[in-house]
Amino acid sequence: MHVLIINGSPRIKKFSNTDMILKEFTKGMCENGDTFHLYEISDKDNWDLIRKAYDESDNILIALPLYVECIPGLLMEFLETLTPKTGNAKMSFILQSGFSEGVQLRCGEAYLEKLAGYLGCTYGGTLVKGGNFEIRFLNDENRSKATSPYAEMGREFSANGNFNSDKCKAFTGPEILPAPVRLLVGFFFKTAVRKSFEKDAASLGCERPLDYRPYT
Ligand SMILES: Cc1cc2nc3c(=O)[nH]c(=O)nc-3n(C[C@H](O)[C@H](O)[C@H](O)COP(=O)(O)O)c2cc1C
């Protein structure tokens, strides 16, 4: 099969966690000869090309990060320019996010199911996975650890043509972290994770503390 893949992140390719996830996902997907063409929504100069590819494709996969509980505004702006399809096209999604609990992504997932219908496509399911905040800040070894499991999901997608298998559903992990784990996460957020966020922020040029409140 040939798949049109659209990275719906507003972040440019070089910095997009979605793009790093797609690298591994497509490795798995293409092992048995499937092919794909990948476009980035962040590249506004290419929107005419992406629209043309959408018009000509019957197997569309949109990979997107969760932004403020739902889909990024830039992707929405693009989607509003599309004409709903009339043939037998299928639309599937990879929805990934920062927070790790599955429950954080369910509202976005419910919207994506509707979105496929709004665009005249049958719904090929959504691969739902959180815990991805740090991907772009990791060293090569740890980034590979974080993203390589997506190769297996690429194989599943290639074999089934959708994300409805039990393996894909289990990939989400826990819906809600158990109470002791939440306590531990809370503790680590105040200590180790906070340090790591401070380091990430400094690497982006941030000179003030993360809890700096200039307006209070
Ligand atoms: C403006 C903004 C809003 C976000 N909102 C959420 C959110 O509501 N829930 C969540 O779990 N992660 C949220 N995130 C984290 C992203 O989903 C996560 O870092 C993702 O891996 C980014 O992918 P990208 O680099 O391809 O854009 C947000 C990130 C940004 C920048």
Side-chain angles (χ1 to χ4, degrees):
M1 67 180 176
H2 182 76
V3 190
L4 164 65
I5 304 182
I6 300 173
N7 175 0
S9 171
R11 277 194 185 138
I12 58 167
K13 191 176 173 72
K14 183 164 111 178
F15 295 127
S16 166
N17 290 339
T18 311
D19 205 75
M20 296 169 203
I21 285 168
L22 282 173
K23 259 186 208 123
E24 290 301 319
F25 178 86
T26 50
K27 254 188 223 165
M29 189 187 84
C30 294
E31 276 174 5
N32 287 319
D34 289 343
T35 54
F36 70 95
H37 205 120
L38 170 63
Y39 291 95
E40 314 276 328
I41 273 309
S42 59
D43 187 359
K44 273 192 119 176
D45 291 344
N46 263 348
W47 279 19
D48 284 342
L49 268 182
I50 310 176
R51 252 188 304 274
K52 186 166 179 288
Y54 160 87
D55 287 338
E56 292 168 355
S57 300
D58 58 8
N59 195 358
I60 301 157
L61 170 61
I62 303 182
L64 65 147
L66 194 71
Y67 271 32
V68 197
E69 307 297 334
C70 208
I71 79 174
L74 192 68
L75 174 62
M76 185 52 106
E77 189 185 327
F78 171 77
L79 292 173
E80 282 171 354
T81 69
L82 298 179
T83 307
K85 295 177 85 75
T86 51
N88 289 319
K90 183 176 58 185
M91 187 171 273
S92 316
F93 302 90
I94 295 175
L95 180 63
Q96 60 89 11
S97 76
F99 293 121
S100 62
E101 294 171 311
V103 71
Q104 303 270 349
L105 300 110
R106 297 300 175 196
C107 175
E109 180 191 22
Y111 174 72
L112 294 176
E113 182 168 3
K114 288 197 161 112
L115 176 65
Y118 295 151
L119 291 172
C121 300
T122 56
Y123 178 56
T126 300
L127 184 69
V128 172
K129 183 80 178 145
N132 295 315
F133 265 128
E134 286 280 283
I135 290 180
R136 65 182 277 213
F137 296 108
L138 299 172
N139 61 31
D140 288 350
E141 189 189 341
N142 288 333
R143 182 178 305 128
S144 169
K145 264 192 212 149
T147 55
S148 59
Y150 285 89
E152 180 58 20
M153 294 300 104
R155 282 177 211 114
E156 279 290 296
F157 187 70
S158 168
N160 305 316
N162 60 48
F163 289 121
N164 298 330
S165 72
D166 288 345
K167 264 193 191 169
C168 290
K169 291 194 192 320
F171 190 65
T172 305
E175 277 302 292
I176 296 180
L177 296 173
V181 178
R182 264 183 282 150
L183 275 176
L184 267 180
V185 170
F187 173 73
F188 279 116
F189 256 101
K190 290 201 175 103
T191 53
V193 176
R194 192 187 163 85
K195 273 220 167 71
S196 144
F197 278 169
E198 277 165 356
K199 207 173 113 219
D200 295 344
S203 79
L204 295 172
C206 178
E207 293 171 348
R208 311 266 181 177
L210 290 180
D211 54 4
Y212 181 59
R213 294 182 185 186
Y215 300 112
T216 54

